[in-house]
Amino acid sequence: MKITELLTEETVLLNINNRDKNNVIDELVNVLDRAGRLSNRDQFKTAILNREAQSTTGIGDGIAIPHAKDASVAKPSIAFGRSQNGVDYESLDGQPSHLFFMIAAPEGANNTHLEALSRLATILMQEEVRQELMGAATEKAVISIINRYDQEDKEEEVSIADKQNFIVAVTACPTGIAHTYMAADALKAKAEELGVAIKVETNGSSGAKNVITNEEIENAVAVIVAADTKVNMARFKGKHVLQTAVADGIRKPEELIHKAVNQDAPIYQGGERDASPTPSEKEKKGVISTVYKHLMNGVSNMLPFVVGGGILIAISFMFGYNSADPNDPSYNAFAAVLNEIGGGNAFTLMVPVLAGFIAMSIADRPGFAPGMVAGLMAATGGAGFLGGLVGGFLAGYLVQGLKKAFKNLPPSLEGIKTIMLYPLLGIALTGFAMKYIINVPVGALNNAITEWLTGLGTGNAIFLGIILGLMMAFDMGGPVNKSAYVFGTGLLASGVYEPMAAIMAAGMVPPLAIALATTFFKNRFTKQQRDAGKANYVMGLSFITEGAIPFAAADPLRVIPSLMVGAAIAGGISMVANIGLQAPHGGIFVIFLVSGNPLVYLVGIIMGSIVSAVLLGLLKKPV
């Protein structure tokens, strides 16, 4: 299929005058809608914005390729737009975007359509194409330019003869339409320029192409995985594997190829970490995003211990607050066992697991043991959750330093590094640092925070609940939301349970408010949004805040403030009522486990949800 069967004169917009990213997206969606290519304009725009939230589609060199694969697309299509003045599109190179290709793929798009859509991304990598499109005088000229460069894809044959090095690569992006193929082309073009043989496998919407064989993997000096989505990593076990974002494949191909040729990447050990790195938008933001990625790796692996242990402890309290104490009249043997399993074991592992997986995220497997030891020393030495955070990062970066220090050891000693040198020196150095530098000051800070929280007066308690509520609804699953959640789970290890209850109450409000608003203010939402709103009842009751994200993305200026107000009310009521909760997840299913009055807790959640729903009804305009 030719690209120009999807891009026609009626979907070409030669003059974009807007300078705002959202307005440009709106213009291009309108072009597709007027051409009859969409069955639901608003739903498709929401899908486009959701894709932008994962990572910007402004790929640099003056190009942006907003794209989405959604049921609201009636016919696979491409809209072209051009801005002579340029638009601030949050591009990867920080420069304005001038050429826009909005790709619309239906959920059931066949391989022929998807190949044509992805081929467009390949064409745009050529500078002469971009120059000609900027100078095109008519819609017909745009179609003619694309037609001239449009050629069917061919499976490539790779020869490693007369080439000093051979590398293999995999590229993949969440939708598998644009970035996947642009990264592949950039890597292939730069490799040819550098005289390096390369084979690139693309994991796109139409399936994997140019699949790397086991023989090619065996002959490769290293593997590049430029992906923002999961790829099959098990086949690369034992090879030097450089994992990065798909945008780096587009923007930094030379750097990646040099690192691969020099084997400047860890040897992949296989196992659970068969996942792609952080999306390109986070990679672009530098140190903060890197720290956030490592922290979330620790938190996600810690949560099962906190959830399971917290619920078991809470159940044991149902037999009496002191029912696990043999010297108390309310002693119950079953409650004591529950408390021992949940508090004496699961909660004991909480901080070591957090620190171990933070260190592993930083330094791969060699960082795990030093991280676990650092976490255990923090937990037993009084530094608690904060000490575990510090210890995890300390262990990870210490082992990274050891890796660099031992980089030039002979290959024959490779096994000794992993088996002996990294564990021995990593655990020793981390242990000494925790014992003599970290534990005492961090322990004092941990105690001070705990004492302040347990002694909060009514006014301060309300204020803290409001702040936590605002954070939970601000980005609903993003860094601010996760910061509040980590704050609450960390305090559980110190025996402070009230903030966790406020956080859960506030996190339930956004999806519940969306569900109520779509039910009682039907004329403010499209039919598709009303249908999606029903699912938010279940997500809200289950404490899945992310259910509200598509609605916030479609109308952020009205939706987000409305949800923040309700979440703040729920968080404030929970804190002022002195509600405590040891289970950091579960929503409606663990409300009966709260300490304090569960009815008041439920009323707070309902009040917050109603207030936000009413605000949405008042602020949103009729469809």
Side-chain angles (χ1 to χ4, degrees):
M1 171 178 274
K2 300 287 286 183
I3 292 173
T4 47
E5 293 180 50
L6 308 175
L7 173 67
T8 62
E9 291 184 37
E10 63 179 344
T11 60
V12 172
L13 181 64
L14 288 178
N15 296 303
I16 291 177
N17 295 317
N18 270 302
R19 304 294 296 270
D20 176 73
K21 175 178 178 177
N22 284 333
N23 289 337
V24 170
I25 288 174
D26 207 48
E27 277 196 72
L28 292 172
V29 170
N30 285 338
V31 168
L32 291 172
D33 192 40
R34 285 195 298 268
R37 307 302 175 88
L38 305 177
S39 61
N40 187 298
R41 178 199 178 282
D42 291 337
Q43 184 177 330
F44 179 69
K45 183 181 176 183
T46 298
I48 288 286
L49 293 174
N50 286 343
R51 173 62 186 87
E52 291 295 324
Q54 294 175 10
S55 61
T56 182
T57 57
I59 60 173
D61 292 325
I63 304 170
I65 310 182
H67 55 276
K69 188 177 179 182
D70 192 77
S72 59
V73 179
K75 181 181 178 182
S77 308
I78 301 171
F80 169 74
R82 183 179 66 189
S83 168
Q84 295 291 354
N85 295 325
V87 175
D88 181 9
Y89 203 86
E90 303 171 6
S91 294
L92 296 176
D93 60 1
Q95 299 300 311
S97 296
H98 297 272
L99 300 173
F100 303 88
F101 286 86
M102 178 170 282
I103 298 175
E107 282 189 344
N110 59 39
N111 286 354
T112 305
H113 292 139
L114 293 170
E115 286 168 5
L117 292 170
S118 60
R119 204 159 60 246
L120 171 65
T122 299
I123 292 173
L124 294 175
M125 293 299 293
Q126 303 176 54
E127 185 177 354
E128 61 268 28
V129 176
R130 301 195 296 268
Q131 291 177 348
E132 289 184 39
L133 288 172
M134 284 300 297
T138 64
E139 290 84 353
K140 185 174 289 186
V142 170
I143 303 300
S144 175
I145 292 165
I146 297 297
N147 255 333
R148 196 161 65 250
Y149 289 94
D150 188 11
Q151 297 178 354
E152 294 292 331
D153 294 330
K154 295 179 181 179
E155 288 286 325
E156 61 186 69
E157 294 291 333
V158 178
S159 172
I160 61 174
D162 301 324
K163 299 280 182 84
Q164 185 176 359
N165 298 297
F166 173 58
I167 59 178
V168 294
V170 181
T171 61
C173 69
T175 51
I177 295 175
H179 290 57
T180 300
Y181 302 95
M182 300 185 83
D185 287 336
L187 286 167
K188 286 186 284 189
K190 185 56 65 174
E192 184 176 357
E193 180 184 320
L194 297 173
V196 175
I198 189 172
K199 178 164 183 183
V200 185
E201 174 185 309
T202 54
N203 287 359
S205 288
S206 57
K209 295 294 179 67
N210 279 344
V211 177
I212 301 166
T213 66
N214 290 334
E215 182 182 2
E216 288 164 340
I217 295 171
E218 184 66 29
N219 290 325
V221 296
V223 181
I224 298 172
V225 178
D228 287 347
T229 187
K230 190 171 183 177
V231 300
N232 175 17
M233 296 289 293
R235 52 190 166 153
F236 302 135
K237 186 174 181 179
K239 304 296 293 186
H240 290 275
V241 177
L242 181 63
Q243 295 190 67
T244 188
V246 68
D248 287 341
I250 301 172
R251 306 306 310 165
K252 304 175 183 177
E254 184 170 0
E255 178 184 328
L256 297 180
I257 290 169
H258 279 309
K259 283 185 176 181
V261 169
N262 295 326
Q263 296 187 324
D264 184 12
I267 293 178
Y268 185 71
Q269 303 294 335
E272 291 295 324
R273 298 182 73 239
D274 287 6
S276 62
T278 308
S280 57
E281 187 69 9
K282 290 182 181 176
E283 292 288 339
K284 185 179 72 169
K285 292 178 183 174
V287 175
I288 293 176
S289 68
T290 302
V291 170
Y292 176 79
K293 180 184 75 172
H294 299 321
L295 174 61
M296 286 301 106
N297 190 62
V299 170
S300 63
N301 283 285
M302 173 196 76
L303 276 181
F305 295 88
V306 187
V307 173
I311 292 176
L312 288 173
I313 294 170
I315 292 173
S316 77
F317 285 164
M318 294 175 66
F319 293 89
Y321 194 77
N322 297 313
S323 59
D325 183 358
N327 300 316
D328 193 90
S330 65
Y331 174 73
N332 180 287
F334 182 65
V337 172
L338 290 176
N339 194 282
E340 179 186 354
I341 296 170
N345 294 283
F347 259 42
T348 300
L349 287 170
M350 168 182 156
V351 175
V353 168
L354 169 77
F357 279 95
I358 288 175
M360 185 174 177
S361 178
I362 296 168
D364 216 331
R365 284 177 181 263
F368 186 65
M372 286 285 288
V373 171
L376 184 60
M377 291 183 72
T380 57
F385 185 81
L386 290 177
L389 286 178
V390 175
F393 283 100
L394 172 69
Y397 286 115
L398 272 175
V399 173
Q400 278 287 72
L402 292 174
K403 284 184 173 183
K404 290 182 179 179
F406 296 140
K407 188 168 77 171
N408 295 322
L409 285 180
S412 58
L413 298 177
E414 187 69 34
I416 291 178
K417 288 195 293 186
T418 304
I419 295 170
M420 187 177 74
L421 294 180
Y422 293 150
L424 173 64
L425 295 177
I427 290 173
L429 292 173
T430 303
F432 278 115
M434 292 299 296
K435 176 76 173 176
Y436 296 109
I437 301 173
I438 305 300
N439 272 359
V440 174
V442 175
L445 176 62
N446 189 57
N447 290 335
I449 292 172
T450 302
E451 289 174 8
W452 176 72
L453 288 168
T454 53
L456 278 178
T458 301
N460 287 334
I462 294 175
F463 180 72
L464 178 60
I466 289 172
I467 294 298
L468 291 174
L470 293 172
M471 292 176 70
M472 288 299 292
F474 177 72
D475 54 0
M476 291 166 283
V480 176
N481 170 284
K482 286 293 188 290
S483 297
Y485 187 68
V486 169
F487 174 73
T489 53
L491 290 173
L492 294 180
S494 302
V496 180
Y497 309 127
E498 290 77 15
M500 190 67 247
I503 287 164
M504 186 176 293
M508 293 170 70
V509 165
L512 287 175
I514 291 292
L516 290 171
T518 54
T519 300
F520 294 102
F521 301 99
K522 295 181 185 294
N523 66 334
R524 264 62 173 173
F525 301 92
T526 65
K527 184 180 184 303
Q528 284 72 21
Q529 287 176 323
R530 294 198 299 272
D531 291 341
K534 295 172 185 175
N536 274 271
Y537 280 112
V538 177
M539 286 190 273
L541 293 173
S542 304
F543 182 41
I544 302 175
T545 314
E546 288 83 350
I549 288 177
F551 295 84
D555 190 5
L557 295 180
R558 295 181 180 87
V559 173
I560 293 176
S562 300
L563 299 181
M564 288 174 70
V565 171
I569 290 171
I573 290 174
S574 177
M575 284 297 295
V576 77
N578 202 31
I579 306 292
L581 180 62
Q582 290 178 283
H585 222 292
I588 193 73
F589 305 104
V590 296
I591 283 182
F592 67 94
L593 298 177
V594 301
S595 60
N597 192 326
L599 183 59
V600 173
Y601 189 58
L602 190 59
V603 167
I605 295 169
I606 293 171
M607 285 182 61
S609 302
I610 291 173
V611 169
S612 285
V614 171
L615 286 173
L616 287 169
L618 294 174
L619 295 177
K620 284 184 69 66
K621 296 178 180 178
V623 175

